[in-house]
Amino acid sequence: EDLISYVYDTCGGNLFGIEVLVKELLKNGVACVNAKGQLDLTESCTREDLQRREYPESLIGIALAAFEKLTPSEQELVKNVAICSQEAEAEVLNISDLADTLELDLDDLRSRCTSLVSQGFFRPEQATSKMTKKSIVGKRDSNQSGCGGSSFSLRSGISRNMLVGPAKSTGQDMAAVSFSSQLCRHVVASLVLNSQKQKIRGQMADEAD
């Protein structure tokens, strides 16, 4: 279902984030509760409308707070993965390809990625075929009725396997990673962009002096 996929892709397995997003969608008339007591898109809203929506500030704040809890080296790695993901136009990145691109030790990188999986920032994935720049490739497969009723349970509208936390993975068996949610990817990419803008402004100021 488009709505369930959107909610999960946006928030990953973060239950609090899912609750915040669902309340926001209900409040703004994007979603409703159907006759079966399940979350559903309103008749006037399409999948394209969902994809164009801006993330609620409260969700961005949650992601920023999680990022700030990372160590400086973890923050740097997460930013580099966001840059590689953008350049390759890929969501799933092979760890071996990342190690080559970032010139890092493979075992050390896999260990650091495993730590970021446990912290809910990355998600372990299967290795992908080599297709794009620097051989960093892969895209995770992305997966309306009238509405009525009154009461609504989050767990009745979202399948159980979408409510679990980050999948467990050992450093030895993890071949690829992706961001745990589109929200995380968006926030980190925005931080990278802001850093680049500040660097450019600083260079322009130096040249003016």
Side-chain angles (χ1 to χ4, degrees), residues 11-117:
C11 300
N14 187 309
L15 287 178
F16 179 66
I18 290 174
E19 184 172 359
V20 169
L21 180 58
V22 167
K23 286 181 178 178
E24 183 82 11
L25 295 174
L26 290 169
K27 177 182 176 182
N28 292 319
V30 176
C32 59
V33 181
N34 62 26
K36 296 180 180 179
Q38 297 177 328
L39 191 68
D40 205 350
L41 279 176
T42 56
E43 292 182 353
S44 60
C45 185
T46 66
R47 181 177 184 178
E48 289 70 28
D49 293 332
L50 282 177
Q51 300 303 325
R52 287 193 292 266
R53 290 190 61 80
E54 294 184 357
Y55 296 116
E57 290 296 325
S58 53
L59 282 184
I60 293 176
I62 293 172
L64 283 172
F67 179 82
E68 290 171 357
K69 291 179 181 179
L70 301 178
T71 65
S73 63
E74 288 173 334
Q75 290 180 357
E76 190 66 23
L77 175 58
V78 168
K79 286 182 178 180
N80 280 325
V81 170
I83 293 172
C84 291
S85 178
Q86 284 185 323
E87 290 185 348
E89 297 182 350
E91 292 185 15
V92 179
L93 307 178
N94 292 332
I95 292 179
S96 60
D97 295 331
L98 274 172
D100 291 341
T101 302
L102 302 177
E103 298 181 352
L104 297 173
D105 177 76
L106 177 59
D107 290 337
D108 178 58
L109 177 59
R110 185 175 283 118
S111 175
R112 291 163 68 182
C113 286
T114 300
S115 174
L116 287 164
V117 167

Side-chain angles (χ1 to χ4, degrees), residues 123-192:
R123 177 184 299 158
E125 303 279 3
Q126 294 182 347
T128 63
S129 58
K130 297 186 177 182
M131 294 167 56
T132 58
K133 184 186 297 184
K134 293 290 187 179
S135 299
I136 302 175
V137 298
K139 286 198 175 182
R140 188 168 57 244
D141 291 338
S142 56
N143 296 359
Q144 317 186 73
S145 60
C147 295
S150 54
S151 62
F152 170 66
S153 166
L154 267 181
R155 285 175 174 77
S156 71
I158 301 176
S159 61
R160 185 171 183 176
N161 66 329
M162 291 186 171
L163 294 171
V164 298
K168 295 181 179 179
S169 176
T170 65
Q172 288 74 29
D173 63 17
M174 188 164 56
V177 292
S178 66
F179 278 97
S180 62
S181 68
Q182 292 298 326
L183 176 66
C184 282
R185 189 175 184 229
H186 167 78
V187 167
V188 175
S190 297
L191 290 172
V192 170

